[in-house]
Amino acid sequence: MRTPFVAGNWKMNKTADAAVAFVREIAAELDAIAGIDVAVCPPFIAIPAVAEAVRGTKIGVGAQNMYHEVSGAYTGEVSPTMLQPYCQYVILGHSERRAYFGETDEGVNKKIVAALAHGLTPIVCVGESLAQNEAGETQSFVSGQVRAAFAGLSNEQAAACVIAYEPIWAIGTGRSATASQAGDIIRTSVRDVLADLFGRETAEAIRIQYGGSVTEDNIAEYMGQADIDGALVGGASLKPTFIKLVRAAAG
Ligand code: 13P
């Protein structure tokens, strides 16, 4: 049985002070929700303070990106060993990173390997554009992203990952994929591909989230899909109503 997992991706929102004030506001209520794993992913600079603020609660902390090297002349980058004292998770290959900062499938693959080597759980993001969706290319594109991200990984490495299927056209648009659309793509283009790569048993153990305009009103529908194990939430994770969303996801 896969434990549901909801993570809030705050993107470039909240100063360190605002981030701490927010987690202090929601921590006790989030902590009281049983049967679900929860994490928040603040901007890098807020991570240590947020990690301190959630200490002793069940709330996990994730980063939104990471470089694959441990140290060196990589101006502006943050390494797995820098994150490791504060974070359990790291979002890798988010479509915004791919679109605005030139991240590639190959780079995402290296980051997954590095994150796992340093005890961080990658939340690996995949998802098609509107043009690809309308051209009927969703299945081939998303399967290709999964194959590229997981290339060369062992079953143990794959089993330690979380995947987020986030159709780009649904991110921040209020135009969410229907639960059955999302469930179908997650089954055919993510879980079945993982089964092909790593065997059915490993594939069934991997948690797969849906992301894209998830709210407290629609989360229950996604959770009703057999292959959807939670959500990666952007806008709706920035407000105190995130508590309601997590409660609804826990059922
Ligand atoms: P929204 O929930 O704001 O659509 O963002 C989704 C997302 O990109 C999470 O990573």
Side-chain angles (χ1 to χ4, degrees), residues 9 11 94 96 166 170-172 211-214 232-235:
N9 174 9
K11 310 191 180 185
H94 192 281
E96 288 151 17
E166 302 201 298
I171 295 177
S213 297
V214 174
L232 185 57
V233 183

Side-chain angles (χ1 to χ4, degrees), residues 157-183:
Q157 285 174 309
C161 292
V162 173
I163 301 183
Y165 167 61
E166 302 201 298
I168 296 168
W169 49 271
I171 295 177
T173 58
R175 182 183 164 189
S176 50
T178 66
S180 71
Q181 270 177 327

